């Protein structure tokens, strides 16, 4: 335990995902010994992200304006919609260069143990988008873990009666893994080999 401000910084850093007490302490002391200009840049970047970044009103990806760059891109097809859990998954898929459709970010996955049900996700907004009639294929690109599979199954059951083709990313992604950690080749192959649900 340290005194006052340094302990406050360690405590706040320790609240970040994936940062344990020892990592928080290392980061805090790095900041303490860093050049003041570097620390100011970091603080400004944190403030700017909270002030400027919001969620796209169409797909719920991160954006600095009302719509994200993908939703504003007229070259993309409206006929294929890819459903992901988080904005970081959009980035992972975009790195492959394989997908030219639109996205819908759910904001998580169904997880009853954490108290997250369908009403806690952006499923209602997804169903409204699908109601427009423009989408012919819905790609379920949720993580290949228990929560992602439960979410994909739930969505498939809801969407199938609408007459929209529902597909799931194919093999190549490890079970229990996260999309953000998949390399471009593996994720690209998974897109090429997606299957009906």
């Amino acid at each position: 335990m340290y005194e006052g401000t340094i302990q406050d910084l360690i405590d706040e850093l320790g609240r970040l995902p994936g940062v344990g007490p020892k990592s928080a302490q290392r980061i805090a002391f790095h900041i303490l010994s860093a050049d003041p200009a570097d620390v100011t840049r970091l603080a400004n970047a944190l403030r700017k992200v909270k002030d400027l970044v919001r969620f796209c009103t169409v797909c719920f990806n991160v954006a600095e304006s009302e719509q994200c760059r993908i939703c504003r891109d007229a070259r993309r097809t409206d006929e294929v919609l890819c459903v992901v859990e988080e904005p970081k998954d959009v980035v992972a898929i975009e790195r492959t260069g394989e997908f030219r459709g639109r996205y819908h970010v759910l904001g998580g996955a169904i997880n009853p143990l954490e108290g997250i049900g369908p009403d806690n996700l952006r499923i209602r907004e997804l169903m409204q988008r699908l109601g427009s009639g423009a989408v012919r294929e819905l790609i379920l690109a949720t993580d290949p873990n228990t929560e992602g599979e439960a979410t994909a199954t739930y969505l498939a059951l809801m969407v199938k009666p609408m007459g929209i083709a529902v597909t799931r990313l194919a093999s190549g992604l490890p079970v229990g893994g996260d999309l953000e950690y998949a390399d471009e080749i593996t994720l690209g192959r998974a897109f090429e080999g997606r299957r009906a649900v």
Side-chain angles (χ1 to χ4, degrees):
M1 294 289 277
Y2 296 91
E3 285 186 34
T5 308
I6 192 72
Q7 187 61 47
D8 292 345
L9 178 60
I10 292 169
D11 292 344
E12 290 305 314
L13 291 169
R15 292 176 49 191
L16 295 171
V19 179
K22 288 193 183 287
S23 293
Q25 182 177 321
R26 272 193 299 276
I27 295 167
F29 279 97
H30 172 79
I31 290 171
L32 189 62
S33 64
D35 184 85
D38 293 341
V39 176
T40 300
R41 256 193 324 278
L42 174 62
N44 288 338
L46 290 170
R47 260 193 239 71
K48 267 176 96 170
V49 80
K50 286 306 289 177
D51 292 343
L52 300 178
V53 177
R54 63 192 86 168
F55 292 107
C56 174
T57 58
V58 177
C59 73
F60 303 98
N61 190 11
V62 290
E64 288 191 17
S65 61
E66 192 167 316
Q67 289 186 358
C68 71
R69 67 173 176 78
I70 296 169
C71 287
R72 291 190 315 262
D73 188 348
R75 297 170 297 177
R76 289 192 172 258
T77 179
D78 291 329
E79 293 184 352
V80 183
L81 188 64
C82 181
V83 177
V84 296
E85 293 177 21
E86 302 290 345
K88 63 187 174 173
D89 301 328
V90 172
V91 173
I93 293 168
E94 284 297 293
R95 281 195 318 249
T96 71
E98 295 287 328
F99 184 64
R100 299 300 306 153
R102 307 282 182 182
Y103 292 94
H104 187 86
V105 180
L106 293 172
I110 295 171
N111 186 346
L113 296 177
E114 298 286 328
I116 301 169
D119 292 339
N120 302 109
L121 305 175
R122 296 186 188 103
I123 294 174
R124 187 177 312 108
E125 294 87 345
L126 172 63
M127 299 309 285
Q128 289 171 349
R129 287 182 76 184
L130 295 176
S132 73
V135 177
R136 293 177 184 248
E137 179 186 2
L138 185 71
I139 301 171
L140 301 175
T142 53
D143 289 338
N145 56 25
T146 306
E147 296 82 9
E149 291 295 332
T151 304
T153 301
Y154 178 84
L155 291 173
L157 291 172
M158 293 210 33
V159 173
K160 276 201 174 182
M162 300 174 81
I164 297 170
V166 179
T167 58
R168 180 94 169 106
L169 291 186
S171 62
L173 296 173
V175 174
D178 289 330
L179 286 177
E180 71 177 305
Y181 298 116
D183 64 284
E184 290 85 354
I185 294 168
T186 302
L187 200 49
R189 285 185 185 150
F191 256 93
E192 290 171 358
R194 63 186 185 268
R195 57 182 166 75
V197 179

